[in-house]
Amino acid sequence: MKVYLDNAATTRVAQEVVEAIEPFNSQKYGNASSLHSFGQDAKEALENARKLLAKRINAEPDEIVFTSGGSEANNLAIRGMAQINGFGHIITSKIEHPAVLQTCKDLEKQGFEVTYVGVDAQGRVDLKSLESSIKDHTFLVSIMHVNNEVGVIQNIAEIGKVCSDRKVVFHTDAVQSFTKIPIDVKNMNIGLASFSAHKLHGQKGIGMLYVRKGIKLKNQITGGEQEFKIRAGTENVAGVVGFAKASEILTQEDITRMSNLKKHLRQELLNISDTKINGPDDGLCNILNVSFRYIEGESILLRLDAEGVAVSTGSACSSANLAPSHVLIAMGLEHEAAHGSIRFSLSKYTTKEEINYTVKCARTVVIELRKISPLTPRGDKNV
Amino acid sequence: MYSKEILDRFKNPKNVGEIKSPDAYGKVGNIACGDIMELFIKIDAGKITDIKFKTFGCAAAIASTDVLCDVVKGKTVDEALKVSKKDILAVMGDVPPVKVHCSVLATEALQEALKKYQSKQSTGSK
Ligand SMILES: Cc1ncc(COP(=O)(O)O)c(C=O)c1O
Ligand code: FES
């Protein structure tokens, strides 16, 4: 059996999306900037998709800038704001995606001031410390909606309100949450928001940045005048059409089913001794992060892979710089627990049989690896 | 990312376990990522007759400890002390650069175990 439980990394492209995209590769392949009918057909599709996606987040179509994905959207938001301001202070959190964290680190080198607010043991950003970090020259707060490793959901409506009261622009990385949790940029006082299609059964390499009217950004890719002169480059019409289609496929039933399957998986995995959940119980419907004590995550991942089950890990051994997950460390996990952490992430296509098979494999793999580990206490019942 | 040799070893290591009252014992930890290796060695008439290991770490760490056990089994203590990091890497095949540090760790555990064994021997306190 093959089980894909790495949907927070990327997802299968939905058949509906494949079909929606096809004509824009084979027939309506014009450049959306061209005046002939090929171009105008592409332009029409592009603008319809823009309208639909704008509506999904309660924005206006001319507030949507298409990008090559979530990373570019985050870069455009943060660098674009910083370069317009020239100097000043940014607030973000310690658990952001590298596309935000590394961008902020880079800006620090260029002379900007950055505060990285901490999180509690569940990964929640402390609103009080966020608010007290705001200074006169703070121009941007960037806090992700849902964390990609542990699924913790931040209260972005509250953060948006604080930012609005203090007249600071609020950016949120909504790459993981989009279509799983409703987002309303107007009511939540969001100034900038990043999205990516490949987390919701769209294609890789297409995303968008919501830019509230009135917010000025320095373009990061210069060239033609596409995307309101904020992002040059021939529009990826097929990608955008697929993105719009993808934003429609998740139903409320899908979300409920994923939540129930996640709960089931959580319960079953907790039956394995010395196992602990990282992150809150009320996290995103499809992300479950678990630490298996005494064993190492890359080993678990590869053994599960040999059984056909695909997951990911926050273990130091699996990262290029041999550092454990910055998210788990910020939540106060010990290195050993971060070492044995595994992320299971479900999709609307995940079945109960797949979850049961995964639990069975996980139990065997954990027991086998614990037999190899010198850390396993002698006489451990599970060994 | 890993060679077939490493993956096969990792999935089916042959030398996992402990030896009760071993003649030599070594344990090393790696500060880089936090892996830990233990070696249990049985020595008879100057020869390694049995060797078992336990490892907490990645696939390369587990596979390389298993390789080391195979490589030194049957060797005399002096021969085993000459087994180098290169010898282990040669059996492992293509090791990703980031995984070299833990693939050679087992040789350190072996050196520690055998040197302690030799000094006990020379003081006659076995
Ligand atoms: C929270 C978060 N932000 C940003 C990204 C980057 O998006 P993309 O892969 O489209 O560049 C990802 C996923 O990789 C993510 O999980
Ligand atoms: S044991 Fe950590 S990288 Fe090999």
Side-chain angles (χ1 to χ4, degrees):
Chain A
M1 195 174 198
K2 277 265 193 191
V3 184
Y4 184 76
L5 289 179
D6 202 12
N7 289 282
T10 196
T11 56
R12 179 210 302 183
V13 178
Q15 191 53 36
E16 300 97 297
V17 172
V18 172
E19 282 163 20
I21 285 171
E22 211 282 320
F24 296 92
N25 288 325
S26 57
Q27 299 147 34
K28 306 181 182 181
Y29 48 78
N31 184 320
S33 301
S34 300
L35 288 178
H36 45 63
S37 65
F38 289 84
Q40 290 312 297
D41 282 353
K43 177 82 179 164
E44 191 188 339
L46 179 74
E47 295 314 322
N48 283 341
R50 196 190 304 279
K51 268 187 217 145
L52 198 143
L53 283 161
K55 211 166 145 212
R56 302 263 328 166
I57 61 172
N58 194 22
E60 304 304 321
D62 58 357
E63 294 176 314
I64 301 297
V65 175
F66 290 114
T67 66
S68 67
S71 299
E72 190 195 328
N74 284 338
N75 270 268
L76 177 57
I78 299 169
R79 286 181 202 275
M81 276 289 289
Q83 286 165 17
I84 288 286
N85 277 269
F87 75 102
H89 177 230
I90 300 169
I91 300 171
T92 186
S93 85
K94 291 190 172 149
I95 64 164
E96 298 298 312
H97 187 272
V100 167
L101 279 182
Q102 295 307 322
T103 303
C104 287
K105 295 232 164 83
D106 201 39
L107 288 172
E108 266 186 297
K109 280 189 214 135
Q110 296 172 27
F112 290 89
E113 196 185 333
V114 181
T115 302
Y116 302 89
V117 292
V119 295
D120 66 13
Q122 309 300 327
R124 291 196 187 87
V125 168
D126 177 30
L127 268 171
K128 288 224 168 59
S129 78
L130 188 143
E131 188 164 12
S132 65
S133 307
I134 299 178
K135 308 178 191 193
D136 289 342
H137 58 295
T138 306
F139 62 87
L140 181 68
V141 168
S142 179
I143 303 287
M144 71 202 315
H145 190 189
V146 168
N147 178 269
N148 47 303
E149 291 189 31
V150 297
V152 57
I153 304 166
Q154 306 298 341
N155 191 340
I156 53 171
E158 280 292 317
I159 298 172
K161 186 163 183 330
V162 167
C163 291
S164 158
D165 290 348
R166 304 287 298 269
K167 309 232 167 347
V168 179
V169 170
F170 174 40
H171 166 246
T172 190
D173 174 343
V175 165
Q176 288 292 340
S177 61
F178 189 40
T179 72
K180 299 193 180 76
I181 308 174
I183 179 166
D184 181 326
V185 290
K186 289 204 178 82
N187 280 329
M188 291 172 163
N189 292 295
I190 294 166
L192 301 158
S194 305
F195 304 87
S196 180
H198 73 97
K199 310 288 185 181
L200 39 130
H201 308 291
Q203 286 184 305
K204 294 160 191 68
I206 184 75
M208 66 178 189
L209 181 67
Y210 159 74
V211 185
R212 187 173 60 214
K213 234 168 252 156
I215 293 180
K216 274 207 153 36
L217 297 178
K218 170 80 180 71
N219 52 1
Q220 301 298 306
I221 297 178
T222 50
E225 300 197 339
Q226 296 93 344
E227 297 302 302
F228 316 106
K229 301 185 194 172
I230 295 176
R231 202 274 188 182
T234 301
E235 298 89 340
N236 177 356
V237 177
V240 167
V241 166
F243 189 8
K245 189 72 194 172
S247 78
E248 288 183 315
I249 61 175
L250 203 67
T251 63
Q252 194 52 50
E253 291 88 82
D254 291 331
I255 293 172
T256 309
R257 209 164 33 81
M258 279 193 280
S259 305
N260 289 337
L261 283 179
K262 172 183 150 174
K263 231 179 264 166
H264 175 59
L265 176 63
R266 179 179 180 280
Q267 225 30 62
E268 293 292 319
L269 292 176
L270 281 174
N271 284 336
I272 302 173
S273 69
D274 293 318
T275 298
K276 127 181 194 330
I277 305 296
N278 303 314
D281 288 347
D282 61 353
L284 194 66
C285 58
N286 72 324
I287 297 181
L288 183 70
N289 192 305
V290 183
S291 282
F292 299 100
R293 271 192 84 180
Y294 316 126
I295 51 181
E296 189 278 320
E298 189 202 276
S299 294
I300 304 171
L301 182 156
L302 288 173
R303 288 265 182 138
L304 281 174
D305 187 46
E307 304 298 324
V309 179
V311 297
S312 69
T313 172
S315 163
C317 299
S318 71
S319 78
N321 59 356
L322 296 176
S325 149
H326 67 286
V327 176
L328 298 179
I329 296 302
M331 286 162 61
L333 255 78
E334 312 220 322
H335 279 234
E336 193 210 315
H339 238 108
S341 69
I342 293 289
R343 177 186 70 187
F344 300 86
S345 49
L346 291 62
S347 83
K348 66 174 272 170
Y349 303 117
T350 307
T351 65
K352 180 117 186 220
E353 290 70 44
E354 289 177 337
I355 294 295
N356 287 338
Y357 177 74
T358 300
V359 169
K360 193 180 113 223
C361 296
R363 178 179 295 278
T364 315
V365 164
V366 167
I367 290 174
E368 286 300 313
L369 285 173
R370 281 184 180 164
K371 280 185 196 154
I372 304 180
S373 173
L375 301 179
T376 311
R378 265 159 244 267
D380 188 288
K381 282 207 187 57
N382 252 307
V383 173
Chain B
M1 157 192 190
Y2 284 124
S3 67
K4 195 175 168 308
E5 171 73 22
I6 300 182
L7 281 177
D8 286 349
R9 282 278 178 179
F10 162 67
K11 281 177 213 154
N12 295 301
K14 292 175 259 175
N15 304 295
V16 176
E18 293 183 18
I19 294 172
K20 279 216 179 84
S21 49
D23 299 300
Y25 167 81
K27 177 177 180 175
V28 289
N30 179 349
I31 25 171
C33 60
D35 48 345
I36 298 168
M37 287 173 188
E38 271 183 322
L39 289 178
F40 304 83
I41 307 172
K42 194 99 199 132
I43 299 170
D44 222 351
K47 255 197 180 165
I48 295 177
T49 54
D50 197 11
I51 175 163
K52 297 246 180 266
F53 80 93
K54 286 205 162 175
T55 293
F56 166 74
C58 71
I62 291 173
S64 64
T65 336
D66 196 51
V67 165
L68 178 111
C69 291
D70 273 359
V71 166
V72 302
K73 210 180 282 177
K75 283 195 162 52
T76 65
V77 170
D78 285 334
E79 285 166 348
L81 276 167
K82 289 199 193 95
V83 170
S84 71
K85 301 183 171 180
K86 273 206 192 108
D87 297 332
I88 301 304
L89 288 174
V91 184
M92 297 272 289
D94 259 342
V95 177
V98 68
K99 295 295 181 181
V100 169
H101 76 279
C102 50
S103 301
V104 299
L105 197 63
T107 56
E108 288 172 28
L110 180 74
Q111 293 280 330
E112 187 203 296
L114 294 182
K115 286 198 172 130
K116 268 195 308 199
Y117 169 78
Q118 282 184 327
S119 67
K120 260 195 300 185
Q121 292 288 302
S122 58
T123 57
S125 66
K126 192 197 165 188

